[in-house]
Amino acid sequence: MAYQVIVLNGGSSSGKSGIARCLQAVLLPEAWLTFGTDNLVDGMPAGLRGSGPGAGIGFGADGVVSVGEAFRAMDDAWAVGIGAMARAGARVIVDEVFLGGPASQNRWRRALDGLEVLWVGVRCAPEVAAGRETARGDRVGGMAAAQAEAVHRGVGYDLEVDTTHTESMECARIIAARVSPM
């Protein structure tokens, strides 16, 4: 099977971005673009980062993430755009956090309809992800622990990896073996 898209779903600080970068190296000479939910949030107007009416996305002091209609609209357009790139011939790795569980996966399924997609769950023990979150220093405390299991509930995968004790490169090799079987 010739995959066009790899969707990595996992909580904050689970290791998805590291795996995505390693996949780009392991899958050479085929070029894969990588896009993450952080790219979407960073590209949003600052006024849509916070709480309140029409809010885009907000981060509570306890690490809970809330999304409003403005974020949902941009997120839908983002997913459709990623699908359009893949349909135009780009190979794409998506670094995602399914805050809505199966509803989030279904949104991506609609956007990627007709494409060959490898669905990968990236798991990490909550206490390990929380330690990474603290070490990073660029996340709201509590987000990693809150998302570690929640983002996987009700979501179906073709493959799962666990970064609790496995390095990003090894996880990437496991995924790459599924994408490009020897």
Side-chain angles (χ1 to χ4, degrees):
M1 180 178 301
Y3 289 105
Q4 297 158 284
V5 180
I6 301 169
V7 177
L8 305 174
N9 175 52
S12 179
S13 299
S14 64
K16 300 177 308 296
S17 298
I19 291 171
R21 285 189 300 275
C22 290
L23 274 168
Q24 287 179 305
V26 170
L27 292 171
L28 284 173
E30 195 168 89
W32 286 75
L33 298 170
T34 184
F35 296 102
T37 192
D38 289 344
N39 300 121
L40 172 61
V41 173
D42 290 345
M44 291 173 54
L48 290 179
R49 291 186 223 137
S51 56
I57 188 166
F59 304 94
D62 57 356
V64 173
V65 178
S66 60
V67 296
E69 288 305 312
F71 178 83
R72 283 189 188 92
M74 282 189 239
D75 200 24
D76 285 344
W78 165 262
V80 170
I82 299 273
M85 284 190 296
R87 284 184 191 85
R91 301 270 189 242
V92 182
I93 301 165
V94 178
D95 170 348
E96 241 314 345
V97 180
F98 288 173
L99 294 173
S104 296
Q105 185 175 35
N106 288 336
R107 180 178 50 79
W108 275 102
R109 284 189 194 280
R110 286 188 302 275
L112 302 175
D113 186 48
L115 297 167
E116 294 297 333
V117 180
L118 181 65
W119 299 93
V120 180
V122 179
R123 294 188 178 270
C124 184
E127 63 278 4
V128 172
R132 291 176 187 167
E133 174 181 76
T134 299
R136 286 175 69 155
D138 66 346
R139 299 280 188 229
V140 174
M143 195 176 344
Q147 294 175 0
E149 295 299 326
V151 300
H152 299 290
R153 284 191 201 108
V155 176
Y157 299 112
D158 299 310
L159 178 67
E160 292 187 46
V161 294
D162 190 323
T163 66
T164 303
H165 302 293
T166 307
E167 295 294 326
S168 295
M169 183 56 83
E170 182 57 27
C171 291
R173 286 186 181 116
I174 292 166
I175 297 164
R178 188 71 173 269
V179 172
S180 303
M182 297 292 182

